[in-house]
């Protein structure tokens, strides 16, 4: 067994994990960062999802380092791609001109930029990254986690000791290993008082995960894949609450649940692109929705096709969760989600309706290079919901629901360590629920939600913070997860420097104020200007 030691161990190299590591490194700490894939970035890269962001992101509503990431992605395109003059000079360059975000970019580009961001600390010897490592055991001494063991790609174990351990995994993997009190799935309304919660807790009822993929279209060519072995099942699969078979262009409008027919026409004329989810969720034209390469952004003739990320409701996997099941069932669900994704592609290639009355787009082709894989599917599934710590503060729906809070805005937390904004966006679930999509107010991130009730040196640095099943729906998005992780990394470094415990910072108003002042100096925004939710 190999070993390592650092001030801070960050488990999980997704958005929160990278931000946490950078925050601790900027403050002079040593960091070990582990990641199950060979890319940093999680949902932005290895899961293949363009950033879901609020409409004010270009002006405010994110940390300075998150803005630096966005700027660096745009600079990458300006430096290396043959952009049109208009695109090159656009301060808000959107390489894919997708409607889901004002910065739709290729996953591999985001991965390259994140690698550049951590590069200086690797050179200085203060950051160690263990790719292709997953946590398998934890050493616990009373209320502290003293070390974590990881399984590497060759089966060899690696043991890491650290003063602070941050869980930035996609599923909250550290929590059961270390015996940290946590919750899964739906809490009951009796426990949380939330308007959208069920009467009884449903711990196995979680948001669907999805296996995302990238495609382009070459007219006049046939790139039809082999028929997936589960295609007959997926071709006829219709959830009880769905208006049509899942593999179709008809799906509920997430906000109204009324049936809505989407369009899918490769390189169809969609008109001006508006990436503003407060006005329009942007999901009606599936070719444009999550497009990450747009031919019109580049010099004529450079790109023969747009590139589109398929992360649509048709590939939300509903038969079962990845948490709370045995290894065999988990493997079945993972393989099932891959087969569902390929079945969707095969349906698009062979059966999807065309405007000319025909069926199928055989010119659709997977783009493995965009996803950094051999098959064109993402490196890992897109995870929407994690195990969540029993926290010193639990964020509940009525803290930020627009229907509840109205003109008062979200509850102001005195222990704020950042801000975020997104609708409470819950996808269909493994327990048979349709979308739960609730308007919300611009909200704060309370420090208490990062702190477990009991364990003293573990911090949530991603989706495992103290939300409920409901509020997870708006705290799981890219800039919010980044802010959560960055705050956790900053707090760990702050505690090392000053010889404090996180609970001491949280409980002492003077200590909390000093920490918050440090965050503000580092480019955190702790409160919103006067803006209304949606």
């Amino acid at each position: 067994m190999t070993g390592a030691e650092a001030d801070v161990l960050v488990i999980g190299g997704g958005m929160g994990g990278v931000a946490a590591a950078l925050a601790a490194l900027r403050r002079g700490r040593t960091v070990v960062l582990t990641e199950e894939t060979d890319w940093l970035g999680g949902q932005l890269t290895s899961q293949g999802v363009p950033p879901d962001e609020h409409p004010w992101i270009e002006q405010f509503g994110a940390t300075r380092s998150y803005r630096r990431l966005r700027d660096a992605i745009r600079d990458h395109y300006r430096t290396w791609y043959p952009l049109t003059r208009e695109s090159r000079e656009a301060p808000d360059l959107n390489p894919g001109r997708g409607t889901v975000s004002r910065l739709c970019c290729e996953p591999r580009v985001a991965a390259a930029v994140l690698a550049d961001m951590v590069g200086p600390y690797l050179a200085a010897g203060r950051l160690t990254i263990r790719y292709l490592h997953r946590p398998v055991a934890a050493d616990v001494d009373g209320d502290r986690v003293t070390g974590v063991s990881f399984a590497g790609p060759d089966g060899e174990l690696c043991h890491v000791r650290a003063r602070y351990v941050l869980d930035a995994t996609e599923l909250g993997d550290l929590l059961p290993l270390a015996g940290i009190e946590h919750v899964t799935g739906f809490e009951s309304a009796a426990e949380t008082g939330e308007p959208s919660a069920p009467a009884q807790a449903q711990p196995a009822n979680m948001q669907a995960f999805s296996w995302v993929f990238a495609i382009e279209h070459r007219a006049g060519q046939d790139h039809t894949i082999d028929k997936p072995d589960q295609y007959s099942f997926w071709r006829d699969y219709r959830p009880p609450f769905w208006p049509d078979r899942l593999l179709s262009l008809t799906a509920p409008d997430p906000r109204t649940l009324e049936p809505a027919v989407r369009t899918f026409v490769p390189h169809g004329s969609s008109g001006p692109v508006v990436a503003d989810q407060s006005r329009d969720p942007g999901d009606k034209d599936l070719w444009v929705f999550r497009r990450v390469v747009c031919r019109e952004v580049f010099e004529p003739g450079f790109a023969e096709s747009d590139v589109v990320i398929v992360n649509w409701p048709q590939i939300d996997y509903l038969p079962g969760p990845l948490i709370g099941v045995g290894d065999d069932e988990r493997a079945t669900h993972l393989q099932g989600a891959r087969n569902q994704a390929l079945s969707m592609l095969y349906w698009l290639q062979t059966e999807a309706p065309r405007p000319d009355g025909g069926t199928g787009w055989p010119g659709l082709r997977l783009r493995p290079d965009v996803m950094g894989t051999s098959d064109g599917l993402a490196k890992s599934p897109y995870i929407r919901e994690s195990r969540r710590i029993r926290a010193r503060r639990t964020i509940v729906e009525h803290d930020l629901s627009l229907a509840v809070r109205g003109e008062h805005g979200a509850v102001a937390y005195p222990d704020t360590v950042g801000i975020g904004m997104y609708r409470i966006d819950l996808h269909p679930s493994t327990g048979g629920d349709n979308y739960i999509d609730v308007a919300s107010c611009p909200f704060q991130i309370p420090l208490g939600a990062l702190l477990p009730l009991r364990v003293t040196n573990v911090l949530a640095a991603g989706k495992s913070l103290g939300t409920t099943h409901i509020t997870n729906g708006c705290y799981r998005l890219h800039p919010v997860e980044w802010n959560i992780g960055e705050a956790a990394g900053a707090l760990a470094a702050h505690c090392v420097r000053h010889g404090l415990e996180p609970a001491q910072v949280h409980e002492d108003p003077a200590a909390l104020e000093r920490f918050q002042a440090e965050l503000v100096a580092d480019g955190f925004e702790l409160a919103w200007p006067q803006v209304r939710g949606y």
Side-chain angles (χ1 to χ4, degrees), residues 351-390:
E351 298 190 47
R354 300 196 310 259
D356 64 5
T359 55
W361 302 93
L364 293 174
R365 182 172 75 165
L366 287 163
R367 285 293 301 269
D369 54 315
V370 171
M371 298 306 239
T373 60
S374 60
D375 58 11
L377 274 65
K379 290 176 180 289
S380 57
Y382 174 37
I383 303 297
R384 297 183 175 90
E385 185 169 344
S386 171
R387 301 174 181 90
R388 303 179 300 281
I389 61 170
R390 292 285 187 183

Side-chain angles (χ1 to χ4, degrees), residues 303-343:
E304 292 189 43
S305 175
D306 296 346
V307 177
V308 172
I309 298 290
V310 175
N311 174 27
W312 310 335
Q314 291 88 342
I315 63 167
D316 285 357
Y317 183 82
L318 300 173
L322 297 177
I323 296 172
V325 298
D327 290 345
D328 290 346
E329 186 175 349
R330 176 187 169 97
T332 296
H333 291 325
L334 288 170
Q335 185 56 42
R338 294 177 64 87
N339 205 284
Q340 179 181 354
L342 291 172
S343 294

Side-chain angles (χ1 to χ4, degrees), residues 218-475:
R218 299 297 180 100
Q221 300 180 18
D222 188 346
H223 296 284
T224 305
I225 62 172
D226 293 338
K227 186 177 182 179
D229 56 13
Q230 296 177 14
Y231 182 71
S232 295
F233 170 80
W234 290 112
R235 175 67 178 79
D236 296 329
Y237 180 66
R238 180 178 179 178
F241 52 84
W242 214 250
D244 198 348
R245 289 176 296 185
L246 199 61
L247 300 193
S248 74
L249 296 180
T250 300
D253 181 300
R255 302 182 184 184
T256 67
L257 301 185
E258 293 298 318
V261 179
R262 274 64 170 179
T263 62
F264 178 80
V265 179
H267 303 122
S269 177
S270 60
V273 171
V274 178
D276 182 346
Q277 295 201 25
S278 68
R279 298 165 55 187
D280 186 336
D283 62 346
K284 300 304 185 289
D285 183 337
L286 295 178
W287 184 261
V288 177
F289 183 33
R290 297 185 184 272
R291 183 172 56 189
V292 294
V293 173
C294 177
R295 296 182 302 178
E296 296 173 0
V297 168
F298 308 105
E299 292 179 353
F302 172 69
E304 292 189 43
S305 175
D306 296 346
V307 177
V308 172
I309 298 290
V310 175
N311 174 27
W312 310 335
Q314 291 88 342
I315 63 167
D316 285 357
Y317 183 82
L318 300 173
L322 297 177
I323 296 172
V325 298
D327 290 345
D328 290 346
E329 186 175 349
R330 176 187 169 97
T332 296
H333 291 325
L334 288 170
Q335 185 56 42
R338 294 177 64 87
N339 205 284
Q340 179 181 354
L342 291 172
S343 294
M344 181 62 191
L345 173 60
Y346 187 78
W347 182 84
L348 289 170
Q349 292 173 322
T350 61
E351 298 190 47
R354 300 196 310 259
D356 64 5
T359 55
W361 302 93
L364 293 174
R365 182 172 75 165
L366 287 163
R367 285 293 301 269
D369 54 315
V370 171
M371 298 306 239
T373 60
S374 60
D375 58 11
L377 274 65
K379 290 176 180 289
S380 57
Y382 174 37
I383 303 297
R384 297 183 175 90
E385 185 169 344
S386 171
R387 301 174 181 90
R388 303 179 300 281
I389 61 170
R390 292 285 187 183
R392 287 174 171 260
R393 178 187 288 273
T394 299
I395 303 157
V396 292
E397 179 182 358
H398 39 288
D399 282 358
L400 52 89
S401 164
L402 184 61
V404 174
R405 298 293 302 175
E407 296 301 324
H408 298 287
V411 169
Y413 302 124
D415 59 341
T416 174
V417 291
I419 59 176
M421 173 59 201
Y422 208 73
R423 288 176 65 89
I424 296 175
D425 174 17
L426 298 176
H427 277 235
S429 73
T430 58
D433 291 303
N434 207 332
Y435 286 99
I436 300 174
D437 196 301
V438 177
S440 64
C441 305
F443 53 82
Q444 295 173 322
I445 302 166
L447 179 60
L450 279 58
L451 276 58
L453 283 173
R454 178 182 56 84
V455 179
T456 60
N457 72 325
V458 170
L459 297 170
K463 291 189 286 291
S464 62
L465 83 163
T467 60
T468 64
H469 173 82
I470 301 291
T471 55
N472 159 76
C474 59
Y475 276 75

